[in-house]
């Protein structure tokens, strides 16, 4: 919606409130008028819908590091399709319950009290879907690590 | 789409490099008897470990289908390894 239309509607709302304050209309009438004004306002789509964001397809991991000054630099560039991660997490749903119980016990013993049986495939799906917003940027004098989706 | 071509490049310290182009479908066809044995062994393993064989097959298929686009590049000084799946 244009800025001009928005301003006109605000002006009309202000006039209704002023008439209410002056006692020219009752509170019920003011409410009905404001409702009518709201209905007249066309639904403006959110900004994200008007310009849909491109869904990321790949997870990229880029590492540029040198173990110590003067050493040969190491460069790692990994691109993994997010679909592959999705397929991988779906496979985890096939892990038999006894194995999950053993993993849980080991995690608990290591001080990570996570119950993997509570992790459902749909949760993992959501996790992967939200990965698109993840950006990890580590910048040190000798090392630079970037994890992002593209 | 299953992977069509896997490219492996290896550059050694002395500068010599090895490039390997692996056409996946012909290789799978050639190795199909072994693949069949592998699938049978996998099915037996599924039954032994009480994993749904259909789920395992479907999961493996999805994994295979999602592989194209994967690229792994590791370079250290003059040595480098590249694996690319298309």
């Amino acid at each position: 919606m244009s800025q001009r239309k928005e301003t006109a509607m605000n002006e009309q709302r202000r006039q209704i409130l002023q008439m209410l304050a002056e006692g020219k209309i009752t509170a019920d009438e003011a409410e009905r008028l404001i409702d009518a004004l709201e209905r007249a306002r066309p639904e403006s789509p959110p900004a994200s819908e008007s310009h849909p964001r491109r869904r990321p397809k790949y997870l990229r991991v880029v590492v540029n590091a040198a173990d110590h000054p003067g050493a040969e630099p190491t460069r790692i560039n990994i691109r993994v399709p997010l679909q592959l991660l999705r397929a991988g997490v779906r496979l985890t749903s096939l892990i038999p319950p006894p194995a999950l119980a053993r993993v849980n016990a080991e995690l608990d013993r290591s001080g990570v009290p996570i119950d993997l049986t509570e992790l459902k495939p749909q949760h993992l799906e959501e996790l992967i879907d939200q990965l698109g917003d993840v950006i990890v940027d580590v910048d040190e004098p000798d090392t630079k690590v970037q994890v992002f989706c593209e | 789409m299953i992977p069509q071509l896997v490219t492996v490049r290896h550059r050694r310290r002395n500068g010599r490099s090895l490039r390997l182009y692996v056409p996946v479908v012909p290789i799978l066809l050639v190795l199909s008897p072994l693949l069949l044995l592998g699938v049978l062994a996998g099915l037996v393993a599924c039954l032994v470990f009480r994993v749904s064989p259909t789920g395992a097959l479907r999961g493996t298929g999805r994994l295979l289908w999602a592989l194209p686009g994967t690229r792994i590049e590791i370079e250290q000084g003059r040595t480098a390894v590249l694996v690319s799946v298309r």
Side-chain angles (χ1 to χ4, degrees):
Chain A
M1 190 185 347
S2 68
Q3 189 74 30
R4 199 181 303 168
K5 270 191 178 174
E6 185 75 42
T7 313
M9 281 193 169
N10 283 340
E11 180 60 27
Q12 284 169 333
R13 189 192 295 262
R14 201 186 59 77
Q15 281 174 358
I16 293 168
L17 292 174
Q18 196 170 352
M19 279 155 63
L20 177 67
E22 289 169 3
K24 289 181 182 170
I25 54 171
T26 63
D28 282 345
E29 287 169 330
E31 196 182 345
R32 276 203 298 273
L33 285 170
I34 288 174
D35 279 349
L37 203 63
E38 285 291 334
R39 279 197 297 274
R41 176 200 295 242
E43 284 292 316
S44 58
S48 59
E49 277 178 30
S50 55
H51 299 287
R53 203 175 51 167
R54 218 177 107 249
R55 280 191 76 172
K57 281 178 76 179
Y58 300 103
L59 176 74
R60 279 280 300 275
V61 180
V62 181
V63 181
N64 282 303
D67 291 339
H68 53 268
E72 289 179 331
T74 304
R75 207 172 67 84
I76 298 172
N77 181 8
I78 297 176
R79 188 180 72 177
V80 181
L82 285 176
Q83 201 61 34
L84 187 65
L85 295 185
R86 213 167 270 134
V89 295
R90 275 194 190 134
L91 268 184
T92 57
S93 62
L94 295 172
I95 300 174
L100 276 180
R102 281 178 65 182
V103 172
N104 279 346
E106 285 298 321
L107 281 173
D108 202 31
R109 214 169 55 188
S110 312
V112 187
I114 295 176
D115 187 0
L116 291 181
T117 53
E118 293 293 315
L119 209 59
K120 301 281 180 284
Q122 61 267 29
H123 297 155
L124 293 168
E125 285 282 324
E126 278 174 32
L127 190 77
I128 297 290
D129 283 340
Q130 300 305 320
L131 256 182
D133 297 326
V134 171
I135 296 176
V136 178
D137 222 334
V138 180
D139 211 345
E140 286 193 350
D142 294 331
T143 310
K144 191 172 180 182
V145 180
Q146 283 178 299
V147 181
F148 56 94
C149 289
E150 60 179 19
Chain B
M1 180 73 87
I2 66 161
Q4 304 286 315
L5 186 72
V6 177
T7 311
V8 181
R9 284 184 204 170
H10 180 218
R11 194 176 65 216
R12 293 179 198 160
R13 192 171 284 275
N14 59 13
R16 295 183 72 175
S17 65
L18 169 78
R19 285 182 187 190
L20 213 59
Y21 296 94
V22 184
V24 178
V25 178
I27 295 284
L28 282 182
L29 280 175
V30 170
L31 296 179
S32 55
L34 281 177
L35 201 69
L36 195 67
L37 278 179
V39 170
L40 286 176
L43 287 178
V44 171
C46 282
L47 292 175
V48 169
F49 291 103
R50 291 178 189 166
V51 174
S52 155
T54 48
L57 271 177
R58 203 170 45 225
T60 312
R62 275 187 190 142
L63 213 62
L64 202 67
W65 250 251
L67 266 175
T70 306
R71 191 181 169 91
I72 298 169
E73 210 177 330
I74 302 170
E75 203 177 316
Q76 186 171 34
R78 294 171 62 87
T79 317
V81 176
L82 163 78
V83 179
S84 162
V85 184
R86 280 185 279 171

